[in-house]
Amino acid sequence: MNIIEQIRDIKDITREQLELILTTENKESVDFLRRTAREVADAVYGNKIFMRGLVEISSHCKNDCLYCGLRRSNTTAVRYRLTDEKILECCDNGYRLGFRTFVLQGGEDPWFDDTRMCRIVSAIRGRYPDCAITLSLGERSRQSYQSLFDAGANRYLLRHETASPEHYAKLHPSEMSFQNRIDCLYTLKDIGYQVGCGFMVGSPYQTFDTLYSDLQFIRSFQPHMVGIGPFISAHDTPFANQPNGKVSYTLRLLAIIRLLHPPVLLPATTALGTLHPQGRELGIQFGANVVMPNLSPRDHRKDYSIYDNKICTGEEAAECRACTEQRIRNIGYETVVDRGDFNPNTEY
Ligand code: 5AD
Ligand code: FES
């Protein structure tokens, strides 16, 4: 049997199959991978693509990840924080535009402590009982995750970045711990969040072996969401001169993740759209089923600069939403703005 059908049927992949699929130059094989992944996504979610409204609440970060433009050592990064009022205003605007999931994302900023963050989450929960609240605020304590959950948060995104401890140590300063990151993911799941992990494609020192570990981690952790996008170099970071990740690898990995874990919520990321003008559309064609237009206030957009040349920094929320919707319609898919919860019931 064809290896792609085999991967789909047994929901597993070998290290050799992974390398073969990523490196093949055979157009028919890549085409078959794309079609198979899309069939699986269609079987679970139909031709519907979920939209999430992203609000970037803080560009301050106490961490010093070597790849990230918001790392604390980057003295040229412009720092901002949104007030409670501004965050609520973004959600109001998003709600009027039809969004039913709000993603609050930020650097690890101690100013957004539990008191402040719980107050914000409760306010959103009170105003919009019909919406899902997703947080993406990095590593916090169990107690903090629990308080935020109790305040009304439903989902949490925390990319594992790499499932190889050795690779993790090359991407992060020594005070950051691989084990703590993995523990956070299990804690979040244990509390009852829908949890997203993920990694960059083409991060420095990544190998087929580390990617294989990432896929095995996803198989065992069974996340509700997986965020992947190409690594993109950021100026004034230690990796400023490292090459960007490959769009082709990112697309093929999206497809493989869809085959390994059919019900996963899989975004076509802004990073993918940054490296290719049709990156997000291609992501959907390779099995992604989520897009996250930006609802952040326009005057701060360009300052949430995780990597260089990020798209969608000049558009208003409404423009970004309309643009996303049009792009998706152009390739024959339909955007939906309901909560778009994880669907574990699948014939696959
Ligand atoms: N290129 C691409 N993605 C990046 N991230 C951080 N820095 C970069 C970069 N230079 C990703 C990380 C992080 C997420 C918020 O953004 O995976 O978890
Ligand atoms: Fe943001 Fe096109 S999706 S401007």
Side-chain angles (χ1 to χ4, degrees), residues 188-238:
L188 287 161
K189 214 179 193 194
D190 188 47
I191 290 171
Y193 283 96
Q194 293 181 35
V195 183
C197 63
F199 57 90
M200 292 174 286
V201 177
S203 59
Y205 311 107
Q206 186 174 68
T207 62
F208 293 115
D209 287 321
T210 66
L211 282 171
Y212 179 66
S213 308
D214 289 320
L215 297 179
Q216 291 307 325
F217 174 70
I218 290 168
R219 283 188 70 243
S220 84
F221 182 59
Q222 296 280 296
H224 303 87
M225 305 167 276
V226 173
I228 69 165
F231 162 76
I232 304 175
S233 66
H235 65 278
D236 296 320
T237 65

Side-chain angles (χ1 to χ4, degrees), residues 280 312 315 319-320 323-324 327:
R280 287 164 299 174
C312 301
E315 284 78 6
E319 293 172 312
C320 217
C323 170
T324 311
R327 284 167 176 270

Side-chain angles (χ1 to χ4, degrees), residues 174-328:
S174 57
E175 74 265 13
M176 286 180 73
S177 136
F178 171 75
Q179 197 51 51
N180 191 54
R181 195 136 190 117
I182 301 298
D183 290 348
C184 282
L185 283 165
Y186 280 96
T187 302
L188 287 161
K189 214 179 193 194
D190 188 47
I191 290 171
Y193 283 96
Q194 293 181 35
V195 183
C197 63
F199 57 90
M200 292 174 286
V201 177
S203 59
Y205 311 107
Q206 186 174 68
T207 62
F208 293 115
D209 287 321
T210 66
L211 282 171
Y212 179 66
S213 308
D214 289 320
L215 297 179
Q216 291 307 325
F217 174 70
I218 290 168
R219 283 188 70 243
S220 84
F221 182 59
Q222 296 280 296
H224 303 87
M225 305 167 276
V226 173
I228 69 165
F231 162 76
I232 304 175
S233 66
H235 65 278
D236 296 320
T237 65
F239 293 158
N241 298 317
Q242 296 282 336
N244 291 339
K246 289 189 173 72
V247 170
S248 64
Y249 278 27
T250 309
L251 295 173
R252 294 175 198 192
L253 281 159
L254 283 169
I256 292 168
I257 292 167
R258 173 64 64 200
L259 298 181
L260 294 179
H261 188 24
V264 74
L265 292 159
L266 196 59
T269 54
T270 305
L272 188 54
T274 296
L275 286 195
H276 188 291
Q278 257 87 51
R280 287 164 299 174
E281 291 90 323
L282 285 163
I284 289 165
Q285 287 165 328
F286 276 77
N289 72 324
V290 174
V291 283
M292 295 167 65
N294 203 320
L295 294 181
S296 306
R298 208 170 57 171
D299 46 334
H300 292 301
R301 290 270 183 106
K302 61 174 187 340
D303 300 331
Y304 197 78
S305 193
I306 294 178
Y307 49 79
D308 294 347
N309 305 315
K310 191 172 158 216
I311 52 167
C312 301
T313 53
E315 284 78 6
E316 290 291 356
E319 293 172 312
C320 217
R321 182 202 190 282
C323 170
T324 311
E325 189 160 13
Q326 188 56 50
R327 284 167 176 270
I328 290 170

Side-chain angles (χ1 to χ4, degrees), residues 61-78:
C61 192
K62 68 173 161 63
N63 284 341
D64 219 15
C65 307
L66 277 71
Y67 45 82
C68 184
L70 298 182
R71 66 199 304 266
R72 68 161 185 267
S73 300
N74 185 357
T75 52
T76 65
V78 180

Side-chain angles (χ1 to χ4, degrees), residues 110-127:
W111 195 79
F112 283 100
D113 59 8
D114 293 346
T115 311
R116 180 168 276 114
M117 220 41 242
C118 286
R119 193 170 70 212
I120 294 166
V121 170
S122 308
I124 300 173
R125 175 53 61 237
R127 277 195 209 191

